[in-house]
Each structure stands twice: as C-alpha cells, then as structure tokens.
Amino acid sequence: MVGLNANPLVLNYLNHCLCANLVSHAAVLRRISKYDHFDRVYCITALLEFLEEVMDGVTCRNKPEEAILPNAVTSLIYWVIQIVAMVMKNFEIGSEISAEQSYMFERTCVIVEKFTSNQFLMGIYYIGCYDDIDTYGQIRDKFNGFKNILQVYPCNNAISQSLQQLAYLDASKLTMPRLHSKGVESVSYCVQPLLAVEVLLHPCNDTSYFVAELQMIQRLKNYTLTRLIYEIVRAGFISLSNVVEVSRGTLWGAFTFFKVPHIIKQLHALQKSNDEQTPTDHFPEVVEAFELLLEDNLLLDLLDTKCSCNIIEYLLNDWTKQHLVTDVQVKHFATQRENTSLMLQKRESGNQALSIINFIIRAEVPLSGVLKTLSTDYNKVQEALLGVLCQVLVGNSFDLILSVATVEGRLKTFVTRLIQCNENSKQVPGEIGKPSIIRSTLFDVSFLMLTFIVQTYGSDVVLSEHGDSFFEKWVRECMAERNKPKNPRNMIALCEEQIVDELLLSLRNPETQHKNSNLTWQDICLNLPGVLNHVLIAWEKDILTSTDVKSILENIKRRMFSFSVCATSFLCAYMYSVRENELLKPLNMIQQFLTPLSSEEMTSQENVKERLGLSFQIIRKMQQDVHPSSNTKSRSINLTQNLVSQTPLSDQFREVWKTVTEHGWLPVMSAQILESLLQSGGPTWLTKHLVHEILICKYTKDMLKTMDIVFAILHLDIERNTEALLKDIIPLYANQMVGGEINEPQSHVLALLSVYCIISALEHRQGTISTLQQKRTRTHSEADNSDLDLSNVPKLRKLNQEGGSDNSCSNDFLSDNHPLLTAVNSDTTNKTTGRDTIRTATLKEPLYSSVQYIFKLLQQFVTSDVLTPKVYFAYRFISLLIECGGERIRPVLKLLPVQLIQNLLKVMVSEDISVGLIFSMICAQQLGDNQRFLI
C-alpha cells in the first residue's frame, strides 16, 4: 500500500499464506481495518476485492490467535462503514461521485451483502459487538450519520437493509433449529383453562396481571392481537356458559363484561407502535375478533339460551363506553345474531329465569352507591346505611356487587369501609332504644358481610397484615379459614374467665341477665370459644343434657347472628383437632345454628331474613371445609372436600380428568376440584398424574392439546409445580427413555411442557407478576425480532405512570446495565423500527434450584460421544428453551454448565447445531476462559 495502488503480487502472496495457515484470518482482518487512507481509492478497492476473495474462507479453527476473530470482524465492519460514510459525504457535497468511487462503493456493497448472508460471520460479529461496546457504538453512530443520504442515493434497497442489520443487532436473523412450530393452531386449548385457573385463584388481581399472563401465551403461541382477543372473549363465554353456582356466574359475567375490556385496552396500547395510526372510536382488532367469534355458532347459541339475551349485543353495548367498538358495529353484529337469538329465546321462554346478565351490567351503579354511603359520616346516616346494607343482601345483589368490585379492583376499598363501619358500630355502654337497635344491627350486618368476603377471597387478599380493628383481630385469632386451620386451645387461651362465666350464666338463664352488664358484642365474639368449650365438656360428662345444650345454642343465635358464626368457627377448629368418633356432638351443635327461626322470632328484629340467610351460608361453608356433606348437590359449596374425602385421590382425579377430556377444555368446577387435589396430594402427585395423561395419548395432535390444558392447570401453583416437574417428574421419565418406553413425540412434548413452565415460572412472583420491576410488552410480529433500539420508551413510561402496565421486549441477552443497552438508550430518537424494552426477570427460589438441578441432570445425560435418546432430549430441552424464551430466558441460560455445552456440541450432528443456537448460549455465559472453545 506504499503507492497509489496496491501491489497485487503481495496481496496474492497474502492470500496464499492464509490458505496455507501461515497467518490467521483474525490478524489479516484486523490489519486491514487499521488502514485509514480512505483518499487512496485504488488501494481501498484492492483491499475490498481481496476481502471478497477470502471472506468465504474465514474460520477460527486453525490458529490459537483466532480467538480474537470477533473483535477483528467488528473492527472490519467499522472500517467498511467508514468507506460508505465517505462515499455518502462526497455524494452529499457534489450530488455525484467519480467512477472510481462508484466502483469502490459497488465492491463495498458486495462485501456487506456477502457478510450479512454468512451466518458464521454474523454470529462472530454479534459476539464482537457484545465484547467491544465502543466499536459497536461507533458503527451505529456512523450509520445514523449517513442513512438519510443513503435513502436518496441511487442504489438498491438491499444494501440499505444490510447496513441497518449491521448497525442494529437482530439476533433473530441467525438461523435456529425450529423444533417448536411457528404455525398458529386453528383451535387454542390453552387460554380458557388458564383464565379458568387465574379467575378462580386471583380474581382480585389487577388488569396488568392478566395482561402479562396473556402476553406470555401470545408469545408462546405466536398469536396476533386479533387472535388473542378472540381467544380471551371465547374463553369468557365458554366459562360463563359452564358455571352453575350463582356466585361463580356473577364473577365470570363481571370478568367478561368489566375486566376483559380493560385487558384488551392495555394489550392494544402496549402492542401499538408509535407511528401507527388507529381509529379513536374503536379498535380494529376487536372488530376482527368478533367476526371470528360469530363463526362459533354453537357456543353463542348456548349462551344466548342460558342468558335469555343476545349475548353479543349485550356485551358490545357495554363495550361502546370503552370505545372498543362503535354503535354501528354493534348493530352490525347484533343483526347477524338477531334472528337466531330471538328463536332460541322464544323456544326457551317457558322455563327461563330472568337472565343474571341483566343484573350484572346494572351492578356498577349500586356498588358506587354503597361505597359512597359507607364513606359518609357514620353518625349522620346510621339508619340509611343500615337500609342500604340490608338491601344489598336481598337476592343475588351481594354476589353481583362483590363480583363487580372484584374485577374493577374496588374490593379492598369496599372491605376497608365495611371494617370502619363495623368499628363505628361497636357497642356503646349505656345506649338504649332505637339507636342501640340500629347500632347492633349494623354491627351484625357488617360483621357477616366481612366474614363472607374473607371466606370467599381469603384474609391475605382483602385484609391488611397488621390491621388493628376488632374484625381483623378476630379473623387472625379465631376465624376458621380455608387452608388456615386455627388451634382451638389458642382461642380458649384468649378468653377471659370472668367474661366466660358471666356469659355462661346469661345463656343458661337469659332472664337473669343483669341490665348493668358490661359485656359488649365484641367481648362476646372473642369469648364464645371458652363458653362452648365448657358446654362440650359438660355435655361429654352428662352434666348438661341435649335439651340444655340446645337452649344455650338458641340463646346464642337469638342475640345476634354473628355470634352463631363465631361459635361455629370455634367448633370447626375443634373438629380439626379431635378423633372421628368425637365429631358427632360439635356437628350437632353446628346443625342447631342452621335451624330456621320461628315466625315470632323472624318478626322480632329488623332485617332478620337477610342476616339469617347470610349467616347460614357462612356456617355451611365452614362446616363443609371440615366435614363435607355426602350430598352431591352441595358439592359446589366447598372447594376442599377432597382434603377429607374418603374417595381415593386417584379415583377423584380420574373422574375430574374424564370431565375435562369430554369437554375439551377446563370446566370451572373441574378447576376447583383440581385445586383441592393439589392441596391434598401436593404438587408432585398432581404433576405426575397430569404428565401421565399427556404421555398416554396416541396421536401427536391429542398430545399437544392435552399438554396445553395441563400447562394451564399447572398454574394452580406454577412455581411449586414447575419445581416438581423438573426435580421429580423429568428424572422419573428420563430413565424410561433408555428402555424405549418414552419415544418421540413424547420426549419432545415433555421437553416443551418443561420449557413452557420454566418461562411462566420465571415471570411469576408469588401469585402476581410484578408490574413495577419488570416491563413486558411485545408486538406479535416482533416477538423474536428485536433491535437494540428503544423507540417506545416514552410510550412505555407513560403507560406505566397511567396504568402500571406490564411491558417488555428484546434486548438480545443484555443485562439492564450493560453498556451496549445503555448506548442504545441514549439514542432513542434515531430509530429505524419500533421496539420496546424488557427488564428481564431474575431467578428466585424454588425456580433457581430447580433449573440448576435439571441442568446437572442433563449434563449427566451427555457424558459420552454416543447420541442416545437422553442426549437428544437434552438438545431438545436447551433448543426449545432458547427458541420459546428468547431474550427473557437469559437468566436461566446463565446457569447452563459450560461442560454441558461443550459435550453437546461434540455429540450432536452439525446440522442440528446452528449459529443462532451457539450464539444464544454464548451470550448467556461469561466468555472468559471458555471464549476460545465456544467461538
């Protein structure tokens, strides 16, 4: 390069030295990248022609120094970008370039296109960018400096796209073995079971929780937003058509009518690019989804018949308020269903009750009215407040209001105000007459309503952890709660002996009760365990007769219905602690609380019917938790009867699974029973039985369908079930792979289920996905095509401030504070394509130890040079993990043992080991001493 032109003899000799392995490609490429005499056009052109000749032979197999190849390639790309920048600058100044420069640019374009089409070189380049952040930043800055000029330069668009690919890394362009089908299935078997489980377990969770779960499904299943909305609405309709209980029906109705619109709005906002223009009065994806839904005539016919209405019209009329559809579109959809709906309603008009849907869509206003009344000054509205609360208990109003409050996120507000009402209604010494009656009735009503809510949703969901109100204290110490049995001795220890004696005396002889007694209602609630303990002991020793016990219990019930609930709570706790032959007496005592009142007693107090009915519901649920009725009609009352059922768990599982297979989806009642079986048998037992149902399927289609349903069911406790799957179930079936009992496609489906569970558990945080610590949103078409560009950061920040939504995207395995990501964050204005950012989750227990365990197990599989079924399972497992998880799986890949990767690369055939697979594993590792081998 000492003259105006390059010496061709020396260049030919250099080419010969490369072929003879006398020098390394890395050294040659690095030296070329240092040649900065860009004004010597002929020399630059000669070097470009030389590169064109040797590029296909670039390798890293011959010289130890080839370990520096990634950095050399990155420097070379920067050198090529500089050449393009120089040509574009000359073109901008003179509006044309010389023939020599034009030829040089043509050779540069050839180099760039050959480079981007070479998977090996692109993989090496990505590693170099990961390792040399500064050079990558310079490449990006250079490209951004001339990209606008390049658009007007007379060249084909391919070169512009190739240069953009070099400036903005997109790991999805690297080839990957597609073990997981990217085609979209015609029928989804995953969304409905998942929502059935989540609405059962977490009905109070906010919208972003459901959005995050559904986005995960969207990525795994490759759904468009239209298809996802269709599946969500269809899932709501299927579950709504299936429920039998009024409370579950109102919950699913409220979820479909009130929660789903918010879910759709968040999904749409998070997946819309900044430059995308959408109508303001409707969402096109919603319209397209309902066009698909109208094809499901059987489901719509069933729902129209059950709800006595045109369900599409009812739903969309309410959604117009959310600007999801327009009135014109509602009329269009309603017209298509009108004739069929009218015919069905006419056919069933003789035996159809008034549709509960009519009440659901009207329940929002009463809820707001109740909350407003509860927030008013207690001393001014006691009588009006009593009327409002008692009216809530009429018919199904309480279930409706709770359902709407649940899905709208106002349940805790409702509970907090009820607790305050209960506190304000505590007995005031010396108060008599009507004010005392109103106060006592308010105390009773609020206590019963609060107990019912806690019983339905759980104290950990609706109550604060360290609340100091009377009701919260009673729940912590004395309430028999599902899955939280209380020690009856602790309840007795809290009682005051003097109060217990006074209570016993007044209950035995009500007429002797002292008018000056200082016993308050709250004292009675807390000391009834001591009273009942004395009664039980006296009854056992025949000191009291059955008639005496009955009289005492009747006196308890007459005073206040909440006293019956407090007494039942202790009796249920007592039944947990005694032998089976000692259950009869406490059971009879509970039954006494369930006897109807006489007509005189019903008229002696105000609002007796509503309070008595609610107390009966609470008492029956408490009793069912401990001692389920053998009557199958009452089966739906209880979710935990399997804990104490005499039927073997395996028989119960077979019965419920038969129901699931007959339906082809997860009925709401089946979800409740499976949750009970999980509590009874534990995660390992349930997971083993579910996996067994997958593997006994004869056809691949049935196997994948069952796997989707099982994956959704495992969300009953995804973290513990994933731990059981990885630590117990996979090792169990791995031994059967050697004997040929587990073959294809069982092995593939088992690996796919494991990967799905790991991805879901990774994003799961103690029953809720954190919306503040990790952002997750992706457009369907971008789920695996990620640039290192953060063009939507302002939008995501705005969404986070407004709704706390859960957003995410790819950053090609980079940590949050990685300089490469930081460099891109600083230049969000120079965007080429819309992308969002992800803050990847971190592994926590039990997932961390489970992943470590499974990787160690896979490492044991790959110890020889023989390609066995176990080795191929390990390959499938890791490949599916990378393919399905994308950049989100980076924390998991960090735990991959390097020895496992090395052994796998040695054993597997070269066709199965792609550049993209190796790159994904490399970027998750610390290169360090292993860089040479991995490259």
Side-chain angles (χ1 to χ4, degrees):
M1 301 297 170
V2 293
L4 293 178
N5 204 342
N7 189 327
L9 181 63
V10 178
L11 285 178
N12 287 336
Y13 180 67
L14 180 59
N15 194 352
H16 172 74
C17 292
L18 278 172
C19 294
N21 297 324
L22 297 178
V23 294
S24 68
H25 286 88
V28 173
L29 297 182
R30 171 168 285 188
R31 189 64 192 89
I32 290 174
S33 68
K34 292 181 179 179
Y35 186 76
D36 57 359
H37 296 284
F38 295 106
D39 55 329
R40 297 183 179 182
V41 177
Y42 295 107
C43 291
I44 295 292
T45 303
L47 288 177
L48 291 171
E49 292 174 340
F50 172 78
L51 281 173
E52 189 176 346
E53 291 180 16
V54 304
M55 185 175 293
D56 292 333
V58 174
T59 181
C60 57
R61 296 183 178 181
N62 300 315
K63 294 281 184 180
E65 63 193 78
E66 297 287 13
I68 65 171
L69 184 61
N71 300 82
V73 168
T74 305
S75 300
L76 180 70
I77 293 299
Y78 179 55
W79 182 74
V80 171
I81 291 287
Q82 285 179 291
I83 296 174
V84 178
M86 180 195 68
V87 174
M88 292 299 104
K89 182 178 181 182
N90 293 337
F91 175 76
E92 183 182 21
I93 294 173
S95 299
E96 60 180 0
I97 56 176
S98 64
E100 292 81 3
Q101 285 190 342
S102 178
Y103 179 76
M104 180 179 68
F105 182 71
E106 290 177 6
R107 300 272 57 88
T108 305
C109 293
V110 171
I111 294 293
V112 170
E113 290 176 356
K114 288 187 70 173
F115 190 94
T116 53
S117 62
N118 188 313
Q119 287 288 303
F120 170 74
L121 288 178
M122 286 298 289
I124 292 295
Y125 171 60
Y126 283 11
I127 296 172
C129 288
Y130 188 90
D131 195 43
D132 189 353
I133 306 301
D134 295 335
T135 303
Y136 170 74
Q138 292 172 339
I139 291 171
R140 190 194 62 254
D141 292 339
K142 280 288 182 184
F143 173 76
N144 289 330
F146 66 71
K147 68 178 181 180
N148 293 330
I149 308 172
L150 189 62
Q151 292 175 357
V152 298
Y153 185 80
C155 64
N156 57 38
N157 292 329
I159 182 62
S160 179
Q161 294 174 0
S162 298
L163 287 169
Q164 178 178 305
Q165 189 177 338
L166 295 175
Y168 289 88
L169 299 185
D170 187 355
S172 66
K173 300 296 183 182
L174 298 177
T175 56
M176 275 283 294
R178 292 299 176 187
L179 301 180
H180 183 41
S181 174
K182 283 296 177 182
V184 180
E185 60 219 359
S186 57
V187 179
S188 172
Y189 299 100
C190 189
V191 177
Q192 186 278 330
L194 181 65
L195 287 179
V197 168
E198 294 297 352
V199 173
L200 170 68
L201 296 180
H202 311 120
C204 299
N205 280 7
D206 59 16
T207 304
S208 57
Y209 174 88
F210 294 97
V211 169
E213 290 269 282
L214 291 165
Q215 281 187 300
M216 177 192 66
I217 296 297
Q218 184 183 16
R219 291 190 298 270
L220 292 177
K221 296 297 183 182
N222 205 35
Y223 289 157
T224 62
L225 181 57
T226 296
R227 175 63 186 275
L228 183 63
I229 293 172
Y230 162 74
E231 293 295 347
I232 294 169
V233 178
R234 180 173 175 269
F237 280 1
I238 289 174
S239 298
L240 189 57
S241 68
N242 172 252
V243 289
V244 178
E245 299 175 68
V246 172
S247 60
R248 292 292 169 190
T250 57
L251 179 59
W252 270 103
F255 180 84
T256 306
F257 275 77
F258 300 131
K259 177 74 83 175
V260 169
H262 294 290
I263 292 173
I264 292 173
K265 289 178 76 173
Q266 278 200 23
L267 286 169
H268 185 270
L270 298 176
Q271 299 188 21
K272 181 181 68 173
S273 61
N274 286 343
D275 54 354
E276 183 181 353
Q277 297 296 324
T278 57
T280 57
D281 58 347
H282 74 281
F283 292 172
E285 293 85 357
V286 174
V287 177
E288 294 167 5
F290 273 86
E291 292 286 359
L292 293 174
L293 193 63
L294 284 175
E295 299 175 8
D296 203 341
N297 291 318
L298 292 177
L299 174 61
L300 296 179
D301 290 350
L302 174 63
L303 212 54
D304 285 355
T305 304
K306 180 174 182 176
C307 298
S308 303
C309 64
N310 184 338
I311 190 68
I312 292 286
E313 184 178 12
Y314 262 73
L315 183 69
L316 292 182
N317 274 330
D318 195 67
W319 284 16
T320 54
K321 304 171 188 175
Q322 306 285 343
H323 302 293
L324 297 178
V325 289
T326 63
D327 292 330
V328 175
Q329 291 161 347
V330 174
K331 291 178 181 178
H332 166 70
F333 290 125
T335 303
Q336 296 188 51
R337 289 287 306 166
E338 187 174 8
N339 294 333
T340 305
S341 182
L342 287 173
M343 182 179 65
L344 291 169
Q345 291 177 47
K346 187 176 180 181
R347 183 188 304 171
E348 300 292 334
S349 60
N351 55 11
Q352 270 291 336
L354 188 60
S355 170
I356 201 169
I357 299 296
N358 293 305
F359 297 105
I360 290 174
I361 60 179
R362 300 172 190 166
E364 250 186 324
V365 176
L367 172 61
S368 301
V370 172
L371 292 176
K372 183 177 180 181
T373 305
L374 284 169
S375 63
T376 310
D377 186 356
Y378 175 83
N379 294 320
K380 296 179 181 179
V381 294
Q382 290 185 33
E383 194 167 352
L385 179 59
L386 178 60
V388 169
L389 293 183
C390 290
Q391 186 63 36
V392 167
L393 299 181
V394 175
N396 297 324
S397 298
F398 193 31
D399 286 322
L400 288 167
I401 286 178
L402 284 182
S403 298
V404 174
T406 298
V407 299
E408 290 191 345
R410 295 196 279 178
L411 184 62
K412 279 197 173 182
T413 303
F414 187 33
V415 170
T416 301
R417 294 181 183 178
L418 274 177
I419 290 175
Q420 187 59 49
C421 173
N422 184 259
E423 282 291 293
N424 292 334
S425 302
K426 289 193 295 189
Q427 188 170 3
V428 176
E431 189 178 50
I432 57 174
K434 187 176 180 180
S436 176
I437 295 173
I438 292 176
R439 184 182 294 274
S440 66
T441 309
L442 272 173
F443 180 89
D444 199 28
V445 170
S446 59
F447 187 93
L448 292 172
M449 293 174 74
L450 285 166
T451 306
F452 182 84
I453 294 172
V454 171
Q455 201 174 42
T456 303
Y457 298 98
S459 59
D460 52 343
V461 175
V462 297
L463 299 181
S464 58
E465 188 175 355
H466 303 293
D468 57 355
S469 67
F470 156 72
F471 179 77
E472 290 168 300
K473 179 182 178 181
W474 178 80
V475 169
R476 280 197 302 269
E477 305 293 346
C478 301
M479 181 175 172
E481 205 178 344
R482 180 176 180 244
N483 297 332
K484 293 182 179 180
K486 299 292 194 301
N487 188 336
R489 294 183 179 179
N490 292 343
M491 296 185 190
I492 297 169
L494 293 172
C495 299
E496 297 182 24
E497 188 175 350
Q498 182 180 354
I499 296 178
V500 170
D501 292 341
E502 187 176 345
L503 262 176
L504 275 170
L505 181 62
S506 65
L507 291 171
R508 285 292 305 275
N509 302 295
E511 64 278 359
T512 63
Q513 183 177 359
H514 298 291
K515 293 183 179 180
N516 297 326
S517 173
N518 292 323
L519 286 182
T520 61
W521 306 318
Q522 52 271 26
D523 288 336
I524 296 174
C525 289
L526 293 174
N527 287 276
L528 274 174
V531 172
L532 293 172
N533 184 55
H534 282 295
V535 171
L536 279 167
I537 294 173
W539 195 9
E540 288 284 351
K541 296 182 177 181
D542 294 327
I543 298 174
L544 291 177
T545 65
S546 299
T547 305
D548 295 332
V549 173
K550 180 179 178 181
S551 175
I552 292 173
L553 299 178
E554 283 296 318
N555 289 331
I556 291 175
K557 185 167 68 172
R558 287 193 192 100
R559 290 195 178 187
M560 205 174 278
F561 297 117
S562 53
F563 294 166
S564 302
V565 171
C566 295
T568 301
S569 181
F570 168 76
L571 292 171
C572 289
Y574 177 81
M575 289 166 66
Y576 266 121
S577 63
V578 298
R579 296 186 294 270
E580 187 175 1
N581 60 356
E582 298 175 338
L583 294 176
L584 185 59
K585 283 184 170 60
L587 268 176
N588 285 329
M589 294 172 74
I590 292 175
Q591 287 302 313
Q592 187 61 39
F593 289 129
L594 294 173
T595 56
L597 295 177
S598 64
S599 57
E600 294 81 8
E601 291 172 320
M602 292 290 288
T603 57
S604 62
Q605 301 180 43
E606 293 185 9
N607 309 111
V608 172
K609 183 179 178 181
E610 292 79 13
R611 289 184 288 144
L612 181 65
L614 185 57
S615 69
F616 279 3
Q617 288 187 60
I618 296 169
I619 292 170
R620 286 194 185 103
K621 284 185 179 181
M622 284 185 177
Q623 179 187 352
Q624 285 288 323
D625 280 343
V626 183
H627 195 272
S629 170
S630 58
N631 183 6
T632 55
K633 292 183 178 180
S634 64
R635 184 185 182 94
S636 62
I637 294 176
N638 180 48
L639 302 184
T640 57
Q641 68 268 20
N642 304 79
L643 289 170
V644 288
S645 173
Q646 295 182 357
T647 306
L649 292 182
S650 297
D651 292 346
Q652 295 179 45
F653 177 82
R654 279 192 292 270
E655 181 183 347
V656 70
W657 190 256
K658 181 181 177 182
T659 305
V660 173
T661 52
E662 287 173 352
H663 284 80
W665 40 270
L666 184 63
V668 175
M669 179 59 68
S670 298
Q672 296 175 1
I673 297 173
L674 285 167
E675 198 270 344
S676 301
L677 290 174
L678 175 63
Q679 298 292 336
S680 308
T684 301
W685 180 89
L686 181 62
T687 306
K688 179 181 177 182
H689 280 73
L690 290 171
V691 171
H692 175 72
E693 295 299 329
I694 298 175
L695 300 181
I696 62 174
C697 293
K698 293 183 179 180
Y699 302 103
T700 304
K701 182 179 179 181
D702 294 336
M703 201 173 294
L704 291 172
K705 169 186 173 181
T706 307
M707 188 213 72
D708 280 346
I709 296 176
V710 167
F711 171 59
I713 293 172
L714 292 178
H715 281 77
L716 288 167
D717 192 336
I718 188 62
E719 293 181 330
R720 292 171 63 215
N721 289 333
T722 301
E723 180 184 23
L725 180 65
L726 299 181
K727 288 186 175 181
D728 302 320
I729 310 305
I730 297 296
L732 176 66
Y733 285 107
N735 296 326
Q736 300 180 24
M737 294 178 190
V738 179
E741 299 177 39
I742 301 295
N743 298 309
E744 293 297 330
Q746 288 97 332
S747 176
H748 171 79
V749 174
L750 190 58
L752 187 60
L753 175 65
S754 304
V755 167
Y756 276 14
C757 289
I758 289 174
I759 292 171
S760 182
L762 179 64
E763 300 176 349
H764 202 270
R765 291 292 175 270
Q766 297 176 353
T768 182
I769 295 178
S770 173
T771 60
L772 298 177
Q773 297 180 355
Q774 58 181 31
K775 305 295 178 189
R776 301 188 315 143
T777 183
R778 294 305 305 275
T779 305
H780 149 73
S781 60
E782 299 168 350
D784 297 310
N785 302 298
S786 310
D787 291 343
L788 289 176
D789 174 69
L790 306 179
S791 57
N792 282 338
V793 167
K795 179 187 74 173
L796 295 177
R797 187 178 300 114
K798 183 174 183 293
L799 283 170
N800 186 41
Q801 291 171 351
E802 291 179 354
S805 304
D806 209 25
N807 319 320
S808 70
C809 104
S810 168
N811 60 26
D812 294 300
F813 295 88
L814 302 181
S815 60
D816 298 337
N817 55 358
H818 197 283
L820 186 54
L821 184 57
T822 307
V824 179
N825 274 326
S826 65
D827 192 19
T828 59
T829 57
N830 296 323
K831 69 183 183 71
T832 57
T833 55
R835 298 292 186 267
D836 300 329
T837 181
I838 180 175
R839 292 189 179 182
T840 52
T842 56
L843 261 66
K844 296 182 179 180
E845 293 297 346
L847 184 60
Y848 183 86
S849 59
S850 303
V851 170
Q852 278 191 323
Y853 183 88
I854 194 65
F855 282 159
K856 288 179 181 178
L857 181 68
L858 297 180
Q859 188 172 351
Q860 294 173 11
F861 292 172
V862 193
T863 54
S864 66
D865 296 336
V866 181
L867 183 57
T868 63
K870 284 186 175 183
V871 172
Y872 202 67
F873 176 81
Y875 161 73
R876 280 187 178 277
F877 187 93
I878 296 173
S879 298
L880 287 169
L881 200 59
I882 294 170
E883 183 181 348
C884 298
E887 75 290 336
R888 289 173 179 77
I889 214 68
R890 179 175 55 86
V892 174
L893 294 179
K894 279 186 176 182
L895 300 179
L896 262 177
V898 176
Q899 190 64 40
L900 170 60
I901 301 174
Q902 294 178 357
N903 293 344
L904 202 60
L905 294 178
K906 292 177 183 177
V907 176
M908 296 302 299
V909 294
S910 57
E911 290 79 6
D912 291 328
I913 301 296
S914 66
V915 173
L917 181 64
I918 298 173
F919 169 73
S920 298
M921 291 188 290
I922 289 175
C923 286
Q925 301 289 322
Q926 296 293 331
L927 296 182
D929 297 334
N930 302 300
Q931 177 172 341
R932 162 66 187 155
F933 177 84
L934 293 171
I935 293 173

